[in-house]
Amino acid sequence: MTRVLLLLALGLLVLPAAAGASDIAYVLAGDGDAVVRLVTAVPGCPSATVDGRQRPMTLRFAAETLPQRQTASSAALSKPSAFPFNVCETRIAPGTRRVSVMGQQLSVPKRVIRRIVVIGDTGCRLKAADAAWQACNDPATFPFARIAASAAAWKPDLVIHVGDYHYRENPCPAGNSGCAGSPWGYGWDAWAADFFTPASPLLAAAPLAAARGNHENCDRAGQGWWRLLDSRPRAQGQDCNDPANDRMGNASNPWAIDLGNGGRVIMMDMAAVGAKPLQADDWRAAALRRTYARVAELSASARYAFAVGHYPILGFAGEYDSNPPVLKPGNAAIQSVFAGFGPRMAPPGIEMLLAGHVHLWQQVSFASDNPGQFITGFSGTQENEVPMPATIPQGTEPAPDARVDAFSSWTGGFGFMTMERSGSRKWRVLVHDRDGRIVNRCAINGRHSQCERAKIDPDRR
């Protein structure tokens, strides 16, 4: 109760509609048009006010309770998913200046994006199969609300989330005070606790570009993903409700967000590809081939492009089963398919890759022609990754012939990353801890990046 009162006093807590406090409205950066979305307890859908004119919102999903789906964590600890509120939406064209819904003034996309916040892996981990019980009730152990407030204070033009919003899969064990009383399962109450309530300052600050993580695939929180965060129009069968349609529900085509001045961010859905090499006749391999072709098409018409996908293609993770730990290369499933297009592992127009999944921050740049890689999976989820070394052994590669010429990581805690334009194809990158203090500084110049560890300076943000 003390924490709730403190967050209310700071204006950081927006209660879900079930509590009667407010309805939740936000803007999703979309493919061309942006999407104004509303989770509401009112019957039907209200109108939005767009540049002074009333515009009816349409119903994306009606309130309903969905039958139990077997979870990836434990079928015995699953339950039906309750979404007791309507989800409404309307699309707004580029150049829209003002939007409000039910008295809430929303942030609209800017023609030129200059300041970007990047976060990832933000939910509180409750998973019986791993005996992983993060203390969701402790803001020091689950600091996403604090991170969202710090990131919002930086005043971004766009927020990129690299995936994994939902982690509260199973009930907190009896006697565990750290997570006692936490919502769990895949319904709205867990989604609100894991993402929409703590993220409210960021959702108010800027439109959200939402990438899909493996925690949002169809046998986990995919039903909430399609209702709440995917920015595309609803398609028949693409909702994760019927397991017979899971191939459709687990894959979707890439789409692009224009940054202005020739820049573009391309969002890739790789939630269900897994981590092992794929056979050529695997449906996931076919989906990845379509993804590569579409990314090539979207990036060809841009001056430069960043590609966002949940799994790091060209980053490193720690190998738990070895002592001492060794570096594990990038995602083998994606590499097994993308290598068929050449050793670059990305189309020529892609200069930088943004990902999460590994619960730390990392930067990799290459002497070879590969695009650079950033990992930002450090924004709230239990950090159980093997710490990265300060340097990597010569010849260590995240993919065949991907020759590393710069590497940096930070495993000192939770935080977020910011990107600010500094010139044509140039961006200043800052790595912030949970309070916004700078712990690393980097520069992007085309596909190359260079970082230096910075001393924590509480007076500089």
Side-chain angles (χ1 to χ4, degrees):
M1 179 59 70
T2 301
R3 176 173 176 261
V4 170
L5 291 174
L6 175 60
L7 289 174
L8 284 170
L10 294 174
L12 302 183
L13 182 62
V14 177
L15 294 176
S22 66
D23 299 291
I24 296 178
Y26 48 100
V27 175
L28 296 171
D31 191 0
D33 294 345
V35 179
V36 178
R37 192 153 294 165
L38 173 70
V39 180
T40 180
V42 303
C45 288
S47 293
T49 304
V50 181
D51 287 339
R53 296 185 177 183
Q54 295 297 299
R55 179 181 299 174
M57 302 186 80
T58 58
L59 183 67
R60 181 175 176 87
F61 282 93
E64 61 182 329
T65 297
L66 301 169
Q68 175 178 328
R69 286 208 49 161
Q70 182 170 333
T71 80
S73 184
S74 172
L77 295 177
S78 186
K79 62 180 179 180
S81 299
F83 293 95
F85 311 113
N86 290 339
V87 179
C88 305
E89 65 184 4
T90 190
R91 305 189 79 83
I92 55 173
T96 299
R97 299 178 64 184
R98 294 182 304 278
V99 174
S100 63
V101 178
M102 300 183 72
Q104 300 181 53
Q105 194 71 35
L106 305 179
S107 295
V108 297
K110 295 182 178 179
R111 288 191 180 276
V112 178
I113 304 297
R114 301 186 183 280
R115 294 165 66 86
I116 301 174
V117 159
V118 190
I119 56 175
D121 296 82
T122 52
C124 186
R125 190 178 186 90
L126 301 180
K127 186 176 179 182
D130 296 339
W133 308 112
Q134 189 171 353
C136 307
N137 300 330
D138 182 353
T141 305
F142 175 54
F144 179 44
R146 195 165 158 187
I147 289 167
S150 298
W154 190 76
K155 298 182 180 179
D157 301 326
L158 179 71
V159 176
I160 295 175
H161 194 306
V162 297
D164 279 5
Y165 311 77
H166 180 289
Y167 277 83
R168 301 185 196 220
E169 299 183 271
N170 303 131
C172 181
N176 186 324
S177 61
C179 55
S182 172
W184 64 277
Y186 299 111
W188 167 251
D189 55 351
W191 269 98
D194 246 1
F195 183 70
F196 285 94
T197 296
S200 58
L202 266 181
L203 295 177
L208 173 68
R212 187 181 185 187
N214 61 299
H215 276 253
E216 290 80 51
N217 66 32
C218 281
D219 66 355
R220 297 175 105 168
Q223 293 166 322
W225 164 261
W226 287 109
R227 286 173 171 270
L228 302 166
L229 289 178
D230 193 275
S231 63
R232 274 75 60 88
R234 181 181 178 184
Q236 184 68 30
Q238 207 168 35
D239 52 22
C240 293
N241 289 344
D242 184 350
N245 296 328
D246 275 2
R247 289 191 182 183
M248 182 184 301
N250 271 330
S252 55
N253 290 328
W255 52 278
I257 303 164
D258 284 331
L259 300 175
N261 296 336
R264 181 169 285 176
V265 171
I266 300 173
M267 310 294 288
M268 303 181 294
D269 183 350
M270 298 176 171
V273 300
K276 297 180 180 180
L278 301 174
Q279 298 298 315
D281 59 352
D282 192 307
W283 73 268
R284 295 170 295 175
L288 283 172
R289 288 191 291 269
R290 291 193 299 269
T291 291
Y292 190 100
R294 181 58 177 156
V295 171
E297 181 182 358
L298 290 170
S299 60
S301 57
R303 191 175 183 183
Y304 66 93
F306 304 140
V308 181
H310 181 62
Y311 288 107
I313 303 172
L314 294 172
F316 293 100
E319 178 58 70
Y320 294 97
D321 297 330
S322 62
N323 189 16
V326 298
L327 293 180
K328 189 166 62 174
N331 182 273
I334 301 171
Q335 289 186 12
S336 69
V337 177
F338 281 14
F341 298 94
R344 195 174 194 274
M345 295 293 172
I350 300 299
E351 295 191 339
M352 203 63 59
L353 302 168
L354 304 179
H357 190 65
V358 184
H359 296 173
L360 46 73
W361 177 87
Q362 187 180 118
Q363 165 263 350
V364 191
S365 186
F366 298 93
S368 51
D369 187 43
N370 303 85
Q373 175 81 69
F374 282 89
I375 300 174
T376 59
F378 67 138
S379 302
T381 303
Q382 188 175 57
E383 294 183 304
N384 55 359
E385 300 298 334
V386 175
M388 293 290 105
T391 60
I392 59 175
Q394 186 174 3
T396 302
E397 300 175 345
D401 300 320
R403 301 189 307 277
V404 176
D405 69 358
F407 169 87
S408 183
S409 70
W410 185 65
T411 53
F414 299 100
F416 61 98
M417 186 174 89
T418 58
M419 301 171 60
E420 185 173 14
R421 284 183 189 264
S422 59
S424 177
R425 299 171 62 209
K426 294 182 179 181
W427 293 76
R428 284 189 295 268
V429 173
L430 298 177
V431 185
H432 307 254
D433 71 6
R434 68 185 72 192
D435 295 315
R437 296 176 296 188
I438 298 166
V439 296
N440 207 348
R441 295 177 173 86
C442 311
I444 293 175
N445 185 1
R447 63 178 178 81
H448 296 286
S449 60
Q450 188 70 43
C451 301
E452 61 180 49
R453 290 295 302 270
K455 293 180 179 180
I456 295 178
D457 182 355
D459 299 320
R460 187 170 183 179
R461 300 197 175 191

